[in-house]
Amino acid sequence: MDYKKTLNLPHTGFPMKANLSQKEPKQLSAWESAELYQRVREASKGRPTFILHDGPPYANGHIHIGTALNKILKDIIIRSRQMAGFDAPYVPGWDCHGLPIEHNVDKELGAKKKEMTQAQVRRQCRAYAEKFIDIQREEFKRLGVMGEWDNPYLTMNYRYEAIIARECCKFALEGSLFRSKKPIHWCCNCKTALAEAEIEYHDETSPSVYVKFALKDDPAQIDARLAGRKVAVVIWTTTPWTLPANLAVALHPDFDYAAVAVAGGEVLILARELVEACMQTFGIADYEIVAEFKADVLENKRCQHPFYDRDSLIILGDHVTLEAGTGCVHTAPGHGREDYDVGLQYGLDAYSPVNDNGVFTDEVGLFAGQFVFKANAAINQTLADKGVLLAKTDIRHSYPHCWRCKRPVIFRATPQWFISMEKTGLRKKSLEEIDRVQWIPHWGRERIYGMIENRPDWCVSRQRAWGVPITVFICEKCDTVHMDEATMNHIFDQFAAHGADVWFEKSVPELMPKDAVCTHCGHTGFTKEDDILDVWFDSGVSQAAVLEDRDYLTWPADLYLEGSDQHRGWFHSALLTAVGTRQKAPYKAVLTHGFVVDAEGKKMSKSLGNVVAPKAVIDKYGAEILRMWVSASDYRDDVRISDNILKQLSDAYRRIRNTSRFILGNLNDFDPQKDAVPIDQMLDIDRFALHKLQGVIERALKAYDTYEFHVIYHRLYNYCTVDLSAFYLDILKDRLYTSPAASLARRSAQTAMYAILDAMARIMAPIMPFTAEEIWAYLPAVADKAESIHLVSFPKPDAALRDETLAAKWETLIKVRAEVTKALEQARSDKVIGHSLDAAVTVGLSDDLYAVMAEFETDLRSILIVSRATVAKGELTDAYKAQEVEGLWVKVAPAKGEKCQRCWVHDDSVGSIADHPTICARCSGALAQMDLSDMEA
RNA sequence: GGGCCUGUAGCUCAGUUCGGUUAGAGCGCACGCCUGAUAAGCGUGAGGUCGAUGGUUCAAAUCCAUCCAGGCCCA
């Protein structure tokens, strides 16, 4: 007789090979046609909500691995909050306006753009954004991210655009939106402002001049030795044309400066460290340092402008360097970013007497009407004539050029719109709100606090085409900004109906409410502002346009989750727009993740060739493995990815999958409703297994709560390997296979395994939605079993299944077992045994250990997976002495008796049973309870 | 250059808050067993100057300083 047929071997249709990359798309479309997301929403109606508000990715290009990390983390959180008992809707969004899209459309259009209206260009940009929204939407869905994909929020939706305008108007209404001049890159040929991304750097030859600025104040105040002398501060510049706009000379607060006496009794001031080099440049051999001092003695002293009758103030700034020049920096706040920033601190005007063509205005007198670069020569001549030009050479250096016409650009101050950090207390209130938010990790608080504390007013102007305009009107007569509730609502209604395009398509009277009158001068003629809002404003107000505008969401959000760069980006703009209009932070908690780096921890870049594309990972391993990668990493720090790491995860996946498959195979004849064994009738080891499971559940739920997913991954994986596969399931095989199918012994094991796999599947569901669903489908049917695992809740730890006393005994037994396996291994290498069932084991125990182990003696054979196991008191001779446990000796000998052909245990009873001479008494007893009619045939 | 952060076995992570016995786990690797989870399963073993240096202390992966490497954001 073939006794193998009398065994209950595992059977399941659950495949060993996952074939993820092929099967995932099928699963996704099945979920989609079952409208799973909608069903989850319906099922969780009335529960407390958990709102994770999605930060909108930019609708340009394909997703990259960092976007995948971000979206998968969000999905894990959404799914886990959902399964923890919340109603957790997910509304994804896209950021649609802005320069990069306009830039790419520009490239596509080429020369055609010049013949198009702004409205036509905007339509092209809209179509471009739509295309990439569709691409990215499919890519996100492929990651297994579940959400409201058919109704995402888009910053270019008409209603969203209307809300952007409305929020902008609110800042104008309360008076924190104001106009001021600020230098920007300007192309004189294209007559347009340029963003940093539109600048290319090329080498250029410029004049390099050293100019004396005569000190007007009494030099004795600086140093007594300078009393009565003619003193001048020496500056260096490569843009003489900016000298007409000079308002100051900047020194570094930490540098030493020297007063150098030269021929004729004149004294020159410059950085101590640069004296020698400069004197050489000036061709002055005969000089003497008469005094040295720190820069602060010069602060707020006045110099004479070299060719105008006005002062140039001496100021201090950290941007001054000793790399070139004199350590005294010519400062024209209207023509340089650093000059402007330092000028702000001294209340200097962003003076910029240059028009759109790059030509000096009439204000400058001497050089009016000249193109700035051409004026360099005339200015240098004037300096020479005035006797203030110390040296002049040419220099080749890297200089910014226009990306389109390739000509050198200038820095020029033009009117820009700002949101004041001070006028309505925006900075102070934002800082207070920061302390009401939970920052995870906690250092996020320091990071954003420092930024808000130090940032300048928010420049919201962009001289672009693709975006939402700054919707304010300006009185033609008195230049006053016009904004009131009626105007705000009028703009909102028109934008909501037609989009922001109406601003460019309709006339001012059409855009304003009837009878609008300037509150300042009573005039009724207005102009509209042309500038576009900074796109950070667009996404910043998503808290208003999404959270507040959809009735199933809440304001503030429970959580914002983005990369740590967003402390300056979205977390920042969302905070300012919300505090400015609603006095509160738009989020209760902010979670940040690090960046994806390569195997060496280096950032990914095309030039290094270390970029990992999500699609490549999905095609090779499946989205599930990518998701496991996300869950296995401690994302608060930077996250490494490499083929080696993915391969490791792939191995781990197979282990989890196989463990699940083994359990499913052993549950094929198990109906939990009929066959489940009550806990008090279950075998000890099965009860111990359920006890351990409670710990796993508890740990996992806690980790989901604190967003520490790598803890779950490690716990789940270790549980599968150590607790289940190498211990519990290995021991169970004998009982499962050889006991009669419906026996208590087997049903007890099945009861435990069913609880284990059910819990495991639920715990892994947020991380591995595909595999969890697959397991769910194969789990035995019970009444009210949900169609999808994504409709059910997490398992709840059950105190009734815990038994600490039992567990303590088993933990001791596990330590003993570990020592026995070592002894068995030694016997195996000594060729005493092969399989552990070839062995008979005797353990010698100290009194303490014996007290625990004696009651296990009956089961010890099966627990150790040997043919015979006996316990004895005290030391054994000729035995293996335990290394890790005191008072334990193990003696291994070949098992006596024939090997039972059915259960493979060596036992004396084999051969003694007449009907079945090749099997043991235990097996023959089992057979007696079975219907053998099928098998014998 | 400044702000914030990170650095524990080949890999992914514990341990660092409140210093205390030979620094842990799993994977991978090597070797062995099994062939009734089989493109599976079990076991044993080797692997770390805890980024470096200096300091505080009876005692440092843990506290302090400096440096090195890397990341994000600024300049």
Side-chain angles (χ1 to χ4, degrees):
Chain A
M1 176 172 186
D2 183 3
Y3 291 107
K4 184 170 172 177
K5 287 182 181 164
T6 71
L7 295 171
N8 310 296
L9 293 176
H11 278 297
T12 176
F14 185 88
M16 179 178 273
K17 201 165 181 296
N19 227 330
L20 291 170
S21 51
Q22 270 95 58
K23 269 176 21 193
E24 285 167 355
K26 289 176 192 148
Q27 179 67 74
L28 286 168
S29 52
W31 281 331
E32 197 159 326
S33 47
E35 300 191 315
L36 180 60
Y37 180 76
Q38 290 85 336
R39 295 199 46 201
V40 172
R41 292 281 65 74
E42 283 156 27
S44 46
K45 272 208 178 93
R47 294 192 200 167
T49 57
F50 179 87
I51 307 300
L52 165 59
H53 182 37
D54 188 38
Y58 196 63
N60 183 21
H62 290 261
I63 68 164
H64 52 80
I65 198 80
T67 341
L69 167 71
N70 176 261
K71 276 288 196 282
I72 290 171
L73 278 173
K74 283 172 178 164
D75 191 53
I76 294 174
I77 290 174
I78 292 282
R79 288 176 185 274
S80 61
R81 292 297 80 198
Q82 183 68 37
M83 292 184 75
F86 292 89
D87 179 10
Y90 178 60
V91 180
W94 274 277
D95 203 358
C96 310
H97 298 125
L99 180 78
I101 288 174
E102 188 179 335
H103 204 296
N104 287 344
V105 168
D106 265 21
K107 276 196 243 171
E108 285 175 8
L109 289 174
K112 270 194 288 181
K113 193 192 176 188
K114 286 201 169 144
E115 297 149 30
M116 294 168 72
T117 65
Q118 184 164 358
Q120 286 173 320
V121 173
R122 288 171 60 90
R123 271 194 283 281
Q124 288 289 318
C125 291
R126 183 173 288 272
Y128 182 96
E130 273 165 0
K131 177 184 148 189
F132 279 104
I133 288 165
D134 285 342
I135 289 172
Q136 292 191 359
R137 184 191 345 240
E138 289 314 306
E139 290 171 336
F140 287 144
K141 284 159 89 170
R142 182 64 187 81
L143 298 171
V145 178
M146 190 163 68
E148 210 170 323
W149 292 111
D150 51 0
N151 185 27
Y153 76 87
L154 309 180
T155 61
M156 66 179 182
N157 280 346
Y158 290 173
R159 186 171 172 82
Y160 197 116
E161 289 187 331
I163 292 172
I164 295 171
R166 185 188 73 201
E167 297 302 308
C168 174
C169 289
K170 284 184 185 169
F171 280 98
L173 261 183
E174 59 158 23
S176 60
L177 184 72
F178 69 101
R179 251 180 319 173
S180 176
K181 288 205 303 185
K182 181 182 179 179
I184 48 158
H185 284 294
W186 184 269
C187 177
C188 307
N189 184 51
C190 305
K191 287 176 210 160
T192 180
L194 295 172
E196 198 57 51
E198 295 173 311
I199 298 292
E200 297 173 356
Y201 287 84
H202 302 296
D203 269 6
E204 188 75 25
T205 303
S206 301
S208 159
V209 297
Y210 292 83
V211 183
K212 288 191 285 189
F213 276 54
L215 187 71
K216 276 176 88 172
D217 288 313
D218 182 2
Q221 292 173 355
I222 297 162
D223 191 298
R225 284 165 288 185
L226 300 179
R229 305 190 75 154
K230 192 179 161 197
V231 176
V233 177
V234 183
I235 66 93
W236 172 70
T237 183
T238 57
T239 52
W241 66 266
T242 61
L243 284 169
N246 172 282
L247 295 180
V249 174
L251 312 186
H252 197 288
D254 300 334
F255 294 168
D256 291 317
Y257 285 83
V260 185
V262 298
E266 194 177 10
V267 174
L268 305 179
I269 291 177
L270 60 163
R272 170 69 191 87
E273 211 173 294
L274 296 167
V275 169
E276 208 170 307
C278 285
M279 289 305 145
Q280 202 167 357
T281 308
F282 304 158
I284 297 173
D286 194 14
Y287 64 90
E288 184 196 355
I289 293 174
V290 292
E292 288 185 27
F293 34 80
K294 284 283 182 195
D296 54 6
V297 298
L298 286 159
E299 189 180 16
N300 291 319
K301 296 283 180 287
R302 291 168 303 145
C303 290
Q304 173 63 46
H305 189 281
F307 46 83
Y308 291 122
D309 182 18
R310 71 166 188 253
D311 292 343
S312 182
L313 190 69
I314 298 179
I315 61 178
L316 304 182
D318 289 331
H319 65 291
V320 177
T321 72
L322 295 172
E323 274 161 36
T326 61
C328 309
V329 173
H330 150 55
T331 301
H335 289 304
R337 178 56 51 79
E338 288 171 330
D339 294 12
Y340 170 80
D341 288 338
V342 70
L344 275 183
Q345 292 165 30
Y346 286 88
L348 301 177
D349 182 27
Y351 180 53
S352 179
V354 175
N355 72 13
D356 287 2
N357 296 314
V359 169
F360 282 119
T361 61
D362 292 345
E363 287 175 71
V364 300
L366 289 170
F367 315 103
Q370 296 192 34
F371 182 58
V372 289
F373 290 126
K374 288 217 172 110
N376 273 339
I379 289 167
N380 289 343
Q381 189 55 52
T382 302
L383 295 172
D385 292 347
K386 299 262 180 191
V388 295
L389 185 62
L390 275 167
K392 174 185 169 298
T393 53
D394 281 336
I395 185 175
R396 268 194 89 71
H397 60 160
S398 174
Y399 191 85
H401 292 68
C402 173
W403 73 293
R404 189 162 279 293
C405 72
K406 311 295 179 194
R407 302 205 189 166
V409 302
I410 62 170
F411 249 107
R412 171 176 176 253
T414 58
Q416 308 284 325
W417 289 93
F418 293 84
I419 289 173
S420 170
M421 294 299 295
E422 262 44 85
K423 284 185 182 173
T424 55
L426 182 54
R427 189 189 314 277
K428 185 168 170 286
K429 279 186 283 184
S430 298
L431 292 175
E432 286 165 10
E433 278 304 299
I434 285 172
D435 282 332
R436 295 207 177 86
V437 172
Q438 184 193 5
W439 300 92
I440 314 167
H442 63 274
W443 49 258
R445 185 257 175 209
E446 261 58 60
R447 208 168 155 175
I448 195 165
Y449 196 94
M451 286 174 186
I452 296 282
E453 199 172 27
N454 295 313
R455 67 157 299 147
D457 289 336
W458 183 4
C459 180
V460 292
S461 274
R462 294 297 121 99
Q463 290 73 41
R464 309 299 333 167
W466 178 228
V468 174
I470 296 173
T471 46
V472 294
F473 298 100
I474 295 145
C475 175
E476 276 179 335
K477 200 169 163 193
C478 71
D479 215 30
T480 301
V481 175
H482 180 82
M483 183 52 60
D484 54 29
E485 292 263 351
T487 306
M488 178 171 86
N489 293 333
H490 192 72
I491 294 168
F492 179 84
D493 292 342
Q494 298 204 55
F495 276 32
H498 311 292
D501 290 341
V502 292
W503 190 259
F504 305 98
E505 289 164 345
K506 286 192 179 175
S507 65
V508 172
E510 290 174 291
L511 291 167
M512 294 189 82
K514 285 195 182 98
D515 312 322
V517 173
C518 175
T519 49
H520 188 248
C521 72
H523 190 70
T524 54
F526 296 91
T527 57
K528 63 185 176 190
E529 175 54 51
D530 278 342
D531 278 5
I532 294 291
L533 268 172
D534 179 7
V535 285
W536 283 116
F537 193 92
D538 294 21
S539 55
V541 300
S542 66
Q543 35 89 18
V546 183
L547 295 180
E548 206 174 65
D549 204 52
R550 299 196 183 202
D551 59 10
Y552 52 93
L553 303 179
T554 63
W555 195 108
D558 291 288
L559 187 68
Y560 274 38
L561 162 58
E562 305 298 332
S564 61
D565 58 332
Q566 296 303 323
H567 285 108
R568 176 155 295 270
W570 191 52
F571 303 149
H572 197 111
S573 62
L575 180 70
L576 292 182
T577 56
V579 171
T581 55
R582 287 154 180 80
Q583 322 301 323
K584 275 184 71 182
Y587 33 67
K588 292 180 191 162
V590 173
L591 179 60
T592 51
H593 58 79
F595 278 68
V596 183
V597 293
D598 72 7
E600 272 76 50
K602 298 254 170 69
K603 72 166 150 196
M604 294 191 173
S605 72
K606 277 182 194 159
S607 56
L608 278 174
N610 58 354
V611 176
V612 176
K615 186 172 186 304
V617 178
I618 291 168
D619 289 349
K620 186 169 177 188
Y621 297 101
E624 199 87 311
I625 303 300
L626 197 60
R627 297 179 65 104
M628 280 180 74
W629 162 72
V630 171
S631 80
S633 312
D634 185 352
Y635 60 83
R636 291 167 294 198
D637 193 6
D638 288 338
V639 178
R640 296 181 185 214
I641 193 166
S642 68
D643 212 52
N644 179 34
I645 292 168
L646 289 167
K647 199 175 160 294
Q648 177 181 337
L649 289 159
S650 207
D651 287 347
Y653 174 83
R654 284 211 306 274
R655 169 50 81 106
I656 293 171
R657 185 177 179 89
N658 260 321
T659 306
S660 306
R661 179 170 182 268
F662 176 77
I663 295 178
L664 286 173
N666 283 105
L667 290 177
N668 72 81
D669 65 334
F670 182 71
D671 178 349
Q673 292 166 127
K674 289 199 303 226
D675 305 324
V677 176
I679 181 76
D680 55 340
Q681 292 173 36
M682 287 173 75
L683 274 64
D684 272 6
I685 189 170
D686 299 331
R687 288 174 48 221
F688 173 60
L690 288 181
H691 169 91
K692 278 228 119 153
L693 177 66
Q694 304 316 304
V696 174
I697 293 171
E698 243 167 57
R699 190 76 192 89
L701 295 192
K702 187 169 165 244
Y704 270 123
D705 255 350
T706 50
Y707 311 125
E708 294 169 296
F709 310 127
H710 65 283
V711 171
I712 299 164
Y713 164 81
H714 280 281
R715 191 69 199 90
L716 187 68
Y717 184 41
N718 260 35
Y719 181 63
C720 278
T721 336
V722 181
D723 296 321
L724 294 182
S725 198
F727 179 72
Y728 182 54
L729 298 179
D730 205 28
I731 291 167
L732 232 44
K733 285 174 195 167
D734 175 79
R735 174 150 48 111
L736 286 167
Y737 298 170
T738 65
S739 309
S743 62
L744 176 79
R746 187 155 174 279
R747 292 304 189 210
S748 171
Q750 286 176 315
T751 303
M753 285 193 302
Y754 173 70
I756 287 167
L757 190 58
D758 178 78
M760 266 176 56
R762 291 170 194 247
I763 286 168
M764 73 170 87
I767 294 166
M768 302 192 278
F770 296 99
T771 305
E773 186 77 313
E774 203 181 346
I775 293 170
W776 186 253
Y778 281 92
L779 273 172
V782 291
D784 302 326
K785 183 185 171 191
E787 268 173 63
S788 167
I789 194 166
H790 303 296
L791 287 162
V792 306
S793 298
F794 279 141
K796 296 204 171 28
D798 184 349
L801 300 181
R802 301 208 74 134
D803 188 337
E804 299 296 346
T805 321
L806 178 77
K809 285 190 274 190
W810 278 85
E811 295 300 346
T812 304
L813 175 57
I814 283 172
K815 285 197 189 101
V816 172
R817 187 177 187 264
E819 293 295 336
V820 172
T821 58
K822 283 191 175 69
L824 287 171
E825 185 61 25
Q826 205 170 74
R828 193 171 287 132
S829 63
D830 294 343
K831 307 290 179 203
V832 175
I833 58 163
H835 194 284
S836 60
L837 282 177
D838 297 341
V841 166
T842 311
V843 283
L845 300 158
S846 65
D847 290 353
D848 289 350
L849 274 178
Y850 188 86
V852 180
M853 295 295 296
E855 69 172 278
F856 283 115
E857 186 162 25
T858 329
D859 297 325
L860 202 54
R861 184 210 69 73
S862 78
I863 293 165
L864 298 178
I865 317 183
V866 293
S867 279
R868 185 176 173 81
T870 42
V871 293
K873 272 195 186 181
E875 186 172 351
L876 303 175
T877 51
D878 265 346
Y880 168 91
K881 185 175 189 311
Q883 297 156 10
E884 309 289 333
V885 182
E886 274 302 306
L888 173 64
W889 296 265
V890 184
K891 196 158 185 173
V892 178
K896 287 181 194 143
E898 287 298 304
K899 178 175 169 181
C900 168
Q901 291 308 298
R902 186 165 178 274
C903 73
W904 293 348
V905 171
H906 292 258
D907 194 82
D908 293 337
S909 65
V910 177
S912 65
I913 295 134
D915 290 350
H916 301 285
T918 59
I919 67 173
C920 67
R922 184 173 65 119
C923 281
S924 88
L927 289 185
Q929 292 176 50
M930 296 169 69
D931 176 10
L932 297 178
S933 53
D934 314 340
M935 292 156 195
E936 283 175 302

